[in-house]
């Protein structure tokens, strides 16, 4: 489990505990209508604001980050980027076929768009969605 995620859950639960226990009557926090309004309103705003595919992807990322055992390997991603840059200098057209299979899908797509379709860096930034945590590896 991700330590930061665990810390976030524990701190949220402890704040909730102290707020409920500090109230004159803790029963007021057990109102089902209030819970439905908060949870339902949050879901309604989320569905109005984002495509369902984005929400599903976000939930997968949250659960993977909280409960996943795979850690980000930034040195490996940097090695892949440098290796790809060297390949591109030698033979730009062959770079797409030779790019590492462990490269992040966003990186592979960006290289492919640049080489096969001639997109600029600005256009690639507009086409490829930025990962939610701004890292190269969402696993």
């Amino acid at each position: 489990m991700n330590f930061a995620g665990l810390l976030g859950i524990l701190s949220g639960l402890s704040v909730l505990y102290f707020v409920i226990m500090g109230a004159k009557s803790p029963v007021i926090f057990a109102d089902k209508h209030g819970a439905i309004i908060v949870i339902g309103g949050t879901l309604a705003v989320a569905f109005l604001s984002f495509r369902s595919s984005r929400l599903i992807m976000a939930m997968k990322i949250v659960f993977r980050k909280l409960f996943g055992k795979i850690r980000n390997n930034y040195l490996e991603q940097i090695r892949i980027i440098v290796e790809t840059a060297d390949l591109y200098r030698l033979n730009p057209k062959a770079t797409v076929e030779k790019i590492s299979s462990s490269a992040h899908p966003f990186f592979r797509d960006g290289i492919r768009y640049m080489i096969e379709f001639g997109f600029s860096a600005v256009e690639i930034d507009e086409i490829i969605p930025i990962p939610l945590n701004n890292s190269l590896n969402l696993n």
Side-chain angles (χ1 to χ4, degrees):
M1 177 180 258
N2 185 350
F3 179 72
L6 180 63
L7 187 62
I9 290 171
L10 289 176
S11 63
L13 289 174
S14 63
V15 166
L16 186 64
Y17 172 79
F18 287 114
V19 167
I20 290 174
M21 290 302 130
K24 291 181 181 178
S25 175
V27 175
I28 64 171
F29 289 99
D31 182 40
K32 63 182 175 188
H33 294 97
I36 290 171
I37 289 172
V38 170
I39 294 169
T42 302
L43 288 174
V45 169
F47 283 117
L48 286 171
S49 300
F50 303 102
R51 294 188 322 244
S52 59
S53 62
R54 288 288 186 145
L55 291 174
I56 291 169
M57 181 179 68
M59 291 308 300
K60 285 180 181 178
I61 291 170
V62 167
F63 283 111
R64 199 176 308 140
K65 285 294 186 181
L66 284 176
F67 303 112
K69 294 180 181 175
I70 299 172
R71 298 289 179 237
N72 292 338
N73 187 349
Y74 297 112
L75 292 178
E76 175 66 16
Q77 295 299 322
I78 292 169
R79 185 194 61 74
I80 290 170
I81 292 169
V82 170
E83 180 181 286
T84 305
D86 289 340
L87 285 171
Y88 183 79
R89 278 189 216 105
L90 294 174
N91 187 356
K93 296 290 183 189
T95 304
V96 175
E97 290 83 27
K98 293 183 178 181
I99 194 167
S100 173
S101 61
S102 61
H104 193 277
F106 289 132
F107 182 69
R108 277 197 308 264
D109 288 345
I111 295 295
R112 190 171 64 88
Y113 294 158
M114 183 180 72
I115 293 171
E116 292 180 1
F117 305 113
F119 285 106
S120 69
V122 172
E123 292 169 322
I124 292 172
D125 282 342
E126 292 174 2
I127 294 170
I128 298 178
I130 298 171
L132 296 176
N133 63 355
N134 290 332
S135 70
L136 292 174
N137 189 350
L138 296 177
N139 293 332

